[in-house]
Amino acid sequence: MLNIIKNRRSVRSFKAEQITDGELDCILEAACCSPSGHNAQPWFFTVIQNKEFIDYISLKTKLVMTGSGNEKARRLGTSENYHVLHAAPTVIIVSGKTEKSVIDLPGYEFSSYSPLADCSAAIQNMLLAAESIGIGSCWVGFVNYFFALPEEAAKLKVPDNYRPLFAVCLGYKRNETAMPLPVRKTDCVKYIR
Ligand SMILES: Cc1cc2nc3c(=O)[nH]c(=O)nc-3n(C[C@H](O)[C@H](O)[C@H](O)COP(=O)(O)O)c2cc1C
């Protein structure tokens, strides 16, 4: 398990070949086994395996990013080589139930009893499950520029009372060796003993 955690990397270059349904089921099952506050399991997964639609989402997202106030988003949005979903053959949109946190304190809207935390746990399970069976993955937040367009987001057919939060890209890794190691912080632990 520790090796899987350490070896998992965000993969941004995928083979066009589709993953098998068995592999997809394994990853979705891992998502559904995630912890959630009050065991609410407030998640919904939309599996997209249609290249045209995946490319369309990227195109529309980039259009919005181009007009963004965020410098990085603007730069990526105008970059010809950038594909928001890394041209992955499988993309899973993770949506969370629009419930309020049960912690009734100001500022705790996104505390541990929240769909955002629960869906994030499910995403991490998916990434690790994918790595464990040799499949590359990438957690994608920029797709929120697409979710912000109500007419476009409706095309995801997410059930009422759910809100799309993130995308997870999945596919066979194209280039396993060429990924530079990200710098990992080491000054983020305080011991109280
Ligand atoms: C909430 C969240 C949003 C992210 N959004 C994106 C994204 O839009 N595009 C992307 O390529 N990577 C995205 N990532 C991946 C991070 O860039 C990546 O995890 C980080 O650089 C560390 O690299 P590693 O995953 O290889 O360890 C996201 C990760 C998280 C947790």
Side-chain angles (χ1 to χ4, degrees):
M1 187 69 210
L2 284 175
N3 280 334
I4 292 163
I5 290 171
K6 285 183 189 169
N7 289 336
R8 180 217 57 82
R9 301 295 323 285
S10 290
V11 171
R12 300 186 174 91
S13 180
F14 297 96
K15 292 181 182 166
E17 184 189 349
Q18 189 55 273
I19 62 172
T20 67
D21 285 352
E23 289 164 335
L24 175 63
D25 288 348
C26 162
I27 292 166
L28 287 167
E29 190 186 5
C32 294
C33 290
S34 306
S36 60
H38 296 266
N39 194 26
Q41 301 173 53
W43 40 61
F44 188 85
F45 306 102
T46 308
V47 179
I48 309 174
Q49 292 187 313
N50 177 312
K51 181 176 164 22
E52 247 175 53
F53 190 40
I54 289 169
D55 290 345
Y56 176 84
I57 293 173
S58 174
L59 204 81
K60 285 281 170 185
T61 308
K62 284 176 73 177
L63 278 180
V64 189
M65 286 168 77
T66 304
S68 154
N70 176 292
E71 198 268 324
K72 186 178 178 190
R74 230 181 13 257
R75 184 168 44 79
L76 287 172
T78 50
S79 161
E80 219 177 285
N81 296 329
Y82 174 66
H83 191 295
V84 177
L85 300 168
H86 306 299
T90 294
V91 173
I92 301 180
I93 305 292
V94 181
S95 302
K97 213 166 183 183
T98 50
E99 277 169 356
K100 283 222 122 196
S101 164
V102 298
I103 296 187
D104 54 347
L105 291 172
Y108 279 74
E109 292 80 5
F110 296 108
S111 74
S112 56
Y113 295 99
S114 89
L116 183 63
D118 301 331
C119 288
S120 296
I123 292 173
Q124 182 67 359
N125 263 15
M126 282 198 267
L127 306 189
L128 294 177
E131 176 64 28
S132 78
I133 54 174
I135 289 173
S137 66
C138 189
W139 182 333
V140 168
F142 274 127
V143 71
N144 273 277
Y145 285 101
F146 180 85
F147 302 153
L149 304 169
E151 269 181 33
E152 300 296 345
K155 293 176 185 162
L156 298 170
K157 303 190 192 313
V158 170
D160 290 346
N161 303 327
Y162 284 79
R163 204 191 103 188
L165 297 170
F166 293 107
V168 174
C169 303
L170 295 168
Y172 300 124
K173 305 169 193 178
R174 187 186 285 280
N175 194 349
E176 285 198 48
T177 51
M179 292 189 294
L181 268 181
V183 178
R184 305 291 189 195
K185 273 169 66 175
T186 52
D187 60 344
C188 51
V189 180
K190 169 86 183 163
Y191 296 93
I192 299 175
R193 287 169 163 160

